[in-house]
Amino acid sequence: MSQRPDLRQRRAVLEHEWSRWVPRLSVAGARPGGSAALRHEVTESWARSLSSVDPGRDSAPVTDGGPVHQRWTSSPLYRPVSGLAGELHSIAEDAGFVTAVTDESGTILWTCGGPTMRRRAERVNFAPGGRWDEQAMGTNALSLALRTGRPSSVFSAEHLVSALHGWVCYCAPVHGPDGRVLGVLDLSTTWDRSHPLAMSTVRTLVSTIEARLTTEQPRAGQLRLTCLGTEHAVPAVREGRPLPLRPRQVEILTLLALEPDGFSPERLRAALYGDRPVTASTFKAEISHLRRALGGGVSPRRYALTVPVSCDAVDVLRALEQGDTDTALRLYGGPLLPRSEAPGIEEWRTRLEVAVREAVLASPRPEHALRYGERAPYDVEIHEHALHLLGPDDTRRAIARGRLVTARRD
């Protein structure tokens, strides 16, 4: 089995590739600042990328979910970006750029630009449905911005993939009102068209998008519920403010988010308490407290939410329904409300765990099994699946084999 090259070897590879491009770039003065020094963040990204990306690949892979139109129209970025579409088109066409918006996984959801630049971009699948995360396309500005949460640019041969050496990309992550990265806005063009104002233009556009997101959230009264994995002291946030909910009310809110058609009083009571002897007044008091906290956001008689809500568990299920295992895994932080013993929560917890696990076992991508294996150290079948998918010379086999040995031993 070949040995994984260390960082020094990988840096030498990068320096060799870069040395082939610097002379022709410096002739045109295209490299900003005229410096050919390797940036630390680029070197580190190459070191991470070389284990999963072939520098000789000719285009970005297509996302597991296929067409992304539905994902785009349901994205929180859809409305604010659509409101700026005219300006984005004008900037891209006048300056000879392609503008792209990704989701939080690095999948491109929308692009615009002149026909010539768009055709060039489509040759490398810089187009809706293309995956530009680091594991898929190695070092690029989109993947760096998603990883660091900061604006990023990547110039010519700083890209890991040789097919991108003719490009320069400027991008910045878009943060939601709660601080989460929702995606990236990118301006890309050929390296000879690089412009010192491109990055400031991206920053300004992202600031406008984030301001619109903040304006829209209070208008919609958006409620964000985080109920997977970690023990959050304040799992529910509305308009940037935490909701003071007791664990039982968080359980009710979670069930209502997962089943938007709602519950009859009898069925919701059984989902919360099972066969435990709980008085009707206790049950109704919990509902009343939740209704007050939501400003009346629970309908009477048949209990259902009447306010918009976003929920990480619902997001995972939606990604799985769309065949997007990559996004589902990234969002799946662990079991649903792990301390809850409510029968309805336990049922949904099992359904989510099984659905995510089955999606991993059905996926042909070894990184899915490796990522899930981090959270399931004793799942022999997952580790066996990872080994089956990894090539004989893939250095990640050591990780999967070590996990499998440990799982079998225990």
Side-chain angles (χ1 to χ4, degrees):
M1 180 184 297
S2 61
Q3 296 298 311
R4 180 176 182 174
D6 59 21
L7 183 56
R8 186 179 306 168
Q9 291 172 305
R10 295 182 181 192
R11 186 180 181 90
V13 172
L14 176 54
E15 288 172 341
H16 172 71
E17 289 291 319
W18 182 245
S19 67
R20 295 194 300 112
W21 280 78
V22 167
R24 72 185 77 176
L25 300 181
S26 60
V27 168
R31 184 68 172 100
S35 172
L38 298 177
R39 292 183 289 153
H40 178 72
E41 64 179 354
V42 171
T43 306
E44 289 293 301
S45 178
W46 271 59
R48 292 189 300 267
S49 302
L50 283 170
S51 64
S52 62
V53 179
D54 178 6
R57 73 173 309 151
D58 58 4
S59 63
V62 177
T63 187
D64 291 350
V68 294
H69 175 73
Q70 184 177 355
R71 286 171 60 178
W72 173 228
T73 56
S74 63
S75 166
L77 298 178
Y78 176 73
R79 287 174 59 87
V81 170
S82 296
L84 288 176
E87 184 175 350
L88 293 171
H89 275 280
S90 178
I91 291 171
E93 293 181 12
D94 292 348
F97 280 77
V98 173
T99 301
V101 177
T102 79
D103 64 11
E104 67 276 18
S105 74
T107 297
I108 294 179
L109 300 180
W110 179 85
T111 61
C112 71
T116 300
M117 290 303 298
R118 289 187 70 177
R119 281 196 298 269
R120 289 182 179 181
E122 287 167 0
R123 291 172 193 161
V124 292
N125 201 21
F126 193 77
R131 290 185 52 234
W132 287 78
D133 57 285
E134 196 172 77
Q135 285 190 328
M137 277 299 279
T139 306
N140 65 84
L142 292 87
S143 66
L144 284 178
L146 285 171
R147 186 176 184 88
T148 65
R150 301 189 302 272
S152 178
S153 65
V154 171
F155 183 81
S156 186
E158 289 181 325
H159 291 95
L160 176 77
V161 174
S162 299
L164 306 179
H165 286 183
W167 290 83
V168 58
C169 304
Y170 309 89
C171 65
V174 182
H175 294 85
D178 60 357
R180 292 186 306 127
V181 173
L182 302 177
V184 163
L185 176 69
D186 177 279
L187 290 179
S188 292
T189 188
T190 53
W191 65 263
D192 55 321
R193 290 175 177 263
S194 63
H195 197 285
L197 296 180
M199 182 56 81
S200 63
T201 300
V202 169
R203 289 175 183 264
T204 300
L205 290 168
V206 166
S207 295
T208 302
I209 292 171
E210 290 178 341
R212 293 188 176 205
L213 284 166
T214 301
T215 301
E216 287 182 1
Q217 186 184 50
R219 186 184 301 139
Q222 181 73 25
L223 173 68
R224 179 65 187 174
L225 176 62
T226 304
C227 52
L228 291 176
T230 56
E231 295 295 332
H232 293 269
V234 185
V237 176
R238 187 179 188 186
E239 298 180 12
R241 296 189 297 272
L243 289 180
L245 300 178
R246 294 191 291 268
R248 185 65 73 190
Q249 290 139 21
V250 172
E251 292 171 344
I252 297 171
L253 183 56
T254 299
L255 289 169
L256 296 180
L258 286 166
E259 300 195 37
D261 290 338
F263 290 77
S264 66
E266 295 78 13
R267 181 165 170 260
L268 182 57
R269 183 173 175 177
L272 291 171
Y273 304 107
D275 296 329
R276 293 170 52 195
V278 175
T279 64
S281 60
T282 298
F283 170 60
K284 291 181 179 178
E286 299 285 10
I287 299 293
S288 296
H289 184 95
L290 178 61
R291 185 180 286 118
R292 285 195 299 272
L294 299 181
V298 179
S299 61
R301 291 184 291 277
R302 183 168 183 84
Y303 298 129
L305 291 174
T306 60
V307 294
V309 58
S310 63
C311 172
D312 54 353
V314 174
D315 293 341
V316 168
L317 289 169
R318 184 180 297 115
L320 291 173
E321 289 171 357
Q322 296 170 350
D324 188 356
T325 303
D326 198 66
T327 296
L329 270 179
R330 181 179 46 77
L331 297 176
Y332 184 67
L336 179 75
L337 297 181
R339 291 191 178 183
S340 172
E341 296 180 356
I345 296 295
E346 290 180 336
E347 179 181 342
W348 271 106
R349 184 188 302 146
T350 300
R351 288 169 65 177
L352 278 161
E353 289 176 344
V354 170
V356 172
R357 184 177 183 273
E358 289 301 312
V360 170
L361 290 173
S363 171
R365 292 175 52 192
E367 54 266 30
H368 289 160
L370 289 170
R371 194 184 310 172
Y372 186 81
E374 294 177 5
R375 303 192 186 102
Y378 304 112
D379 196 325
V380 171
E381 188 176 3
I382 289 292
H383 306 320
E384 289 177 337
H385 183 58
L387 280 172
H388 174 73
L389 295 175
L390 292 166
D393 294 329
D394 195 312
T395 55
R396 294 174 294 174
R397 288 183 65 87
I399 298 174
R401 189 172 297 281
R403 291 173 178 170
L404 178 59
V405 169
T406 301
R408 285 175 171 169
R409 182 183 302 147
D410 295 337

